[in-house]
């Protein structure tokens, strides 16, 4: 879910773009137990605008510069949560309105051409976020809007009349990496012999990693904390979910009584941790608005909900493991790896059932030599670079569909296999 104001900014940016000639060749609606979706076959790439309106519940999709091909003039029949589909042409393009039988969340993505299909815009509807719906109850402008497709949306959206506007994901989306600097505020984490606090080191490395990730085409970083303050563990997961993170990486520095121990380690969630977390999600699903892997568990029976959750967790753990191995390999090139295999533990921050997650113990702050290196800016950058390249290699080796990395990989961009040449010295 994007912030309201960001939605306006994005919508304004989309409006400022020149209109292109574009045909909508077909519009289809389908419903399955996983949800309802609308698919449009297109002659070229689009940046649609998607709006979710209430009273009555509907989704408006504006495709600027588009026109319906004659084969697509007839609106498809409704299915699933879509009661009816309406289409209207205006000077600026095509508007497609989905009248819903109940409040739903909508998201869209563009699927790039393959051997069978050309560009396709997919709009997916999933169970509504009940909390958000209640908060947005007073959407007067939306309620007052004429129900004919041509006049669906207030022409001047304002912050006083909060219509939820979600800019559709750009044609090929960026991967979002949630970077979690361990500890913070009243929780200093481990403290080294020279007084170095883990919370300062983790934030410095997190910021370096943020810069490197943001400089990488097709990736974007979000920090779960960007200052010296306390963030509860569950809030860190929530922040990553709210940003629809593709991957979560928590940064720490280890500590142990034996001061000779050194090296880095990478952890993913243990099976036991996943099982206990599943029990919690199932128990709380009635009042949880979260979607797991884009699916709501709220309206599912016990058996189905637990199967869906299990599938999601298994997929996430597998992905976490592969990604963690890539990171571990890069850390090995920067310095000593304490444990050569990916470790598993019940760390709370790793428990998101549908976001591959890892925790990197960058070094032992309890080891005096490593403590001094952890304070060193150049070494912090090296550690960040190792994590960055590990993630880069992971995503290039198996790029998620619909992402810019997938396009770049297809266009011949290659993962880097080693940090050795790029990060020597310092
Ligand atoms: Zn820690």
């Amino acid at each position: 879910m994007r912030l309201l104001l960001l939605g306006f900014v994005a919508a304004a940016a989309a409006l400022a773009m020149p209109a292109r000639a574009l045909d909508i060749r077909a519009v289809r609606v389908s419903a399955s137990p996983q949800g309802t979706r609308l698919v449009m076959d297109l002659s070229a790439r689009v940046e649609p605008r998607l709006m979710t309106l209430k009273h009555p519940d509907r989704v408006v999709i504006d495709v600027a510069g588009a026109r319906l091909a004659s084969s697509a003039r007839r609106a498809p029949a409704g299915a699933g949560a879509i009661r009816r589909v309406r289409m209207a042409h205006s000077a600026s393009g095509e508007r497609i309105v989905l009248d819903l039988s109940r409040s739903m969340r909508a998201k869209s993505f563009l699927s790039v051409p393959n051997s069978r299909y050309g560009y396709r815009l997919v709009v997916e509807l999933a169970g509504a976020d009940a909390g958000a719906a209640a908060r947005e109850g007073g959407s007067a402008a939306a309620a007052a809007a004429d129900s004919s497709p041509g006049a669906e949306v207030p022409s001047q959206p304002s912050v006083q009349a909060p219509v939820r506007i979600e800019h559709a994901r750009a044609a090929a989306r960026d991967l979002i990496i949630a970077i979690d600097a361990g500890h913070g505020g009243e929780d200093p984490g481990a403290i080294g012999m020279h007084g170095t606090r883990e919370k300062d080191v983790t934030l410095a490395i997190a910021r370096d990693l943020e810069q490197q990730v943001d400089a990488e085409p097709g990736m974007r970083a979000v920090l779960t904390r960007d200052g010296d303050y306390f963030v509860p563990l569950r809030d860190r997961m929530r922040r990553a979910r709210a940003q629809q993170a593709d991957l979560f990486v928590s940064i720490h520095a280890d500590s142990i009584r034996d001061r000779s121990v050194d090296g880095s380690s990478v952890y993913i969630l243990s099976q036991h941790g996943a099982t206990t977390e599943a029990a919690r999600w199932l128990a709380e699903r009635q009042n949880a608005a979260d979607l797991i892997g884009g699916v709501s568990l709220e309206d599912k029976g016990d058996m189905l909900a637990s199967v869906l959750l299990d599938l999601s967790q298994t997929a996430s753990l597998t992905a976490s493991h592969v990604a963690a191995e890539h990171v571990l390999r890069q850390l090995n090139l920067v310095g000593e790896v304490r444990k050569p295999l990916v470790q598993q533990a019940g760390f709370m921050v790793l428990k998101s059932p549908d976001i591959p997650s890892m925790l990197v113990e960058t070094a032992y702050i309890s080891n005096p030599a490593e403590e001094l290196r952890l304070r060193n800016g150049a070494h912090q950058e090296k550690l960040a670079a190792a994590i960055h390249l590990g993630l880069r290699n992971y995503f290039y080796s198996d790029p998620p569909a619909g992402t810019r990395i997938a396009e770049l990989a297809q266009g011949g961009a290659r993962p880097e296999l080693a940090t050795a040449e790029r990060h020597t010295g310092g």
Side-chain angles (χ1 to χ4, degrees), residues 182-183 189-190 198 251-253 361:
H183 311 278
E198 184 185 354
I251 295 170
H252 287 255
E361 297 280 12

Side-chain angles (χ1 to χ4, degrees), residues 30-37 104 124-127 293-296 299-300 304 308 311:
S30 63
S32 75
Q34 281 74 45
T36 304
R37 52 161 55 185
M104 300 291 277
E124 284 185 333
L125 302 175
V295 176
S296 170
D299 53 348
K300 308 287 187 298
L304 179 56
L308 290 173
L311 284 173

Side-chain angles (χ1 to χ4, degrees), residues 182-183 187-190 198-199 202 251-255 347 359 361:
H183 311 278
D187 168 19
E198 184 185 354
K199 66 173 183 178
T202 60
I251 295 170
H252 287 255
D254 221 336
S255 177
F347 290 122
L359 186 146
E361 297 280 12

